[in-house]
Amino acid sequence: MGSSSPMPEALLSEEHMDADSHASEQYEMKAYKSARACSFTISPVEDSIELEEDKMEQSVKGLHFALDPRTAPPSLHLSNSSLTVTYQVAISIDPLPNNIRRLMMTSDPSVTNYLPQVCADVVITQGQYYWEVEVCNSSLYKIGVNSIDGQKGWWLERQGFSFYTIYDGRRELLNTVPPQIKTIGLFLNFGGGALSFHNPVTQEHLVTMPTLFNPSGVLPTLGLGQGSLKLRCGLPPPLYVFISKDSAYRGPCGSRISQWQRDVRFQSVQKVIQKFEVLSAANFSLKPNF
């Protein structure tokens, strides 16, 4: 039998074009799904905290979410994009009590307990994510995450010229935040049990709150009693979160838990996130369940 004749070059070219077109369509669809802002829940894999590929991609490239209008009280007005919240006392039917309003510039811890809050439309139960909040004409707000039942919160709070951290039943004065700060970065390491705050302008670490989040998840949340706050989400974690001088993720070597907290030059955010997953797995195995 004679050998089969070679495939015509034109046909080969068409097949390559079809393959390239198919790959391009897949890439575009993947990019669209990654960039689309929507309401969704990130659910953990049973008996495992290893991230799936798409969740790893979200950790690296950033998580898109918005504020949920259903959770906003009448005193808080959301923009059409649901990314900006404004306190509107003039049209509010539930303004802050007068006695609380007089205490706005004091350090009384009861003041921010009355702040109206709005939650995001995403429940985070796994992974590591970074987002920022821009502050406009406000000296009374709190930024952080809430438990699903609303009983626990992890906050950076501003009251007048003072800043506080609130977590696990504690409220502590924080002296590392400049009063003129206009943008605050948040980095949530759910599996590793930490929420850290950063100054994106100076690329400085402000504070880290170590904790143990309930597996049911947390909601990014804003509390506001003056001015406006604007979400900036879908952001990749900046490298300075990990390598800045005061970063909580740098420290002495030697123990299993701090095995990757070393003064090294990270090559990419993805490698950092992957190292974070190793750390989270080690911490998760050592922590009791709720």
Side-chain angles (χ1 to χ4, degrees):
M1 294 179 62
S3 60
S4 59
S5 58
M7 187 175 294
E9 291 185 4
L11 187 56
L12 281 173
S13 177
E14 289 178 1
E15 287 190 350
H16 283 301
M17 290 177 62
D18 289 342
D20 290 342
S21 176
H22 180 67
S24 177
E25 290 176 359
Q26 285 187 323
Y27 176 82
E28 291 178 0
M29 180 58 69
K30 186 176 182 181
Y32 168 77
K33 290 180 178 179
S34 176
R36 184 168 56 98
C38 61
S39 173
F40 57 92
T41 300
I42 306 172
S43 300
V45 180
E46 187 176 358
D47 297 325
S48 172
I49 64 166
E50 182 178 353
L51 293 185
E52 299 174 358
E53 183 177 351
D54 60 334
K55 302 304 186 296
M56 175 65 75
E57 184 177 357
Q58 289 172 349
S59 285
V60 173
K61 294 187 176 181
L63 179 65
H64 289 267
F65 59 90
L67 299 172
D68 188 349
R70 296 171 300 179
T71 68
S75 56
L76 296 184
H77 172 74
L78 299 188
S79 63
N80 292 335
S81 65
S82 292
L83 294 176
T84 299
V85 56
T86 302
Y87 184 79
Q88 295 189 334
V89 65
I91 64 173
S92 171
I93 63 173
D94 63 341
L96 294 178
N98 290 333
N99 62 319
I100 297 301
R101 196 168 294 284
R102 287 194 295 268
L103 293 172
M104 280 176 59
M105 304 306 288
T106 76
S107 59
D108 188 332
S110 66
V111 174
T112 50
N113 291 337
Y114 288 86
L115 287 184
Q117 301 175 15
V118 58
C119 298
D121 60 5
V122 61
V123 178
I124 300 176
T125 62
Q126 191 181 23
Q128 298 85 35
Y129 300 100
Y130 175 84
W131 65 95
E132 294 177 355
V133 177
E134 296 179 5
V135 181
C136 181
N137 299 324
S138 181
S139 58
L140 185 62
Y141 59 83
K142 57 182 182 179
I143 297 167
V145 298
N146 245 350
S147 59
I148 300 300
D149 59 11
Q151 297 302 308
K152 295 185 67 176
W154 297 263
W155 303 98
L156 174 66
E157 168 192 296
R158 178 169 185 175
Q159 196 176 142
F161 296 105
S162 301
F163 290 84
Y164 301 86
T165 58
I166 301 174
Y167 66 102
D168 297 345
R170 304 177 183 179
R171 187 176 189 269
E172 301 175 357
L173 182 65
L174 183 62
N175 295 317
T176 58
V177 185
Q180 68 275 17
I181 192 167
K182 296 298 182 184
T183 305
I184 298 172
L186 295 79
F187 184 73
L188 173 67
N189 172 17
F190 190 89
L195 176 64
S196 59
F197 294 84
H198 306 266
N199 186 339
V201 176
T202 60
Q203 299 189 357
E204 291 178 317
H205 169 262
L206 299 175
V207 67
T208 293
M209 304 175 189
T211 189
L212 179 60
F213 297 113
N214 191 297
S216 61
V218 295
L219 293 157
T221 306
L222 303 178
L224 184 63
Q226 181 188 39
S228 300
L229 298 175
K230 180 180 180 180
L231 275 177
R232 295 186 66 234
C233 53
L235 304 174
L239 284 179
Y240 63 77
V241 167
F242 307 97
I243 65 176
S244 66
K245 176 174 64 68
D246 298 318
S247 172
Y249 309 114
R250 287 177 56 179
C253 309
S255 68
R256 180 185 178 190
I257 294 179
S258 61
Q259 61 179 312
W260 77 279
Q261 299 181 358
R262 304 179 182 183
D263 191 6
V264 298
R265 297 183 60 185
F266 295 110
Q267 300 303 311
S268 70
V269 171
Q270 184 169 4
K271 290 182 179 179
V272 173
I273 294 295
Q274 289 169 341
K275 288 177 180 290
F276 231 152
E277 288 307 310
V278 174
L279 175 64
S280 297
N283 284 344
F284 189 82
S285 65
L286 297 175
K287 291 177 178 178
N289 294 324
F290 282 93

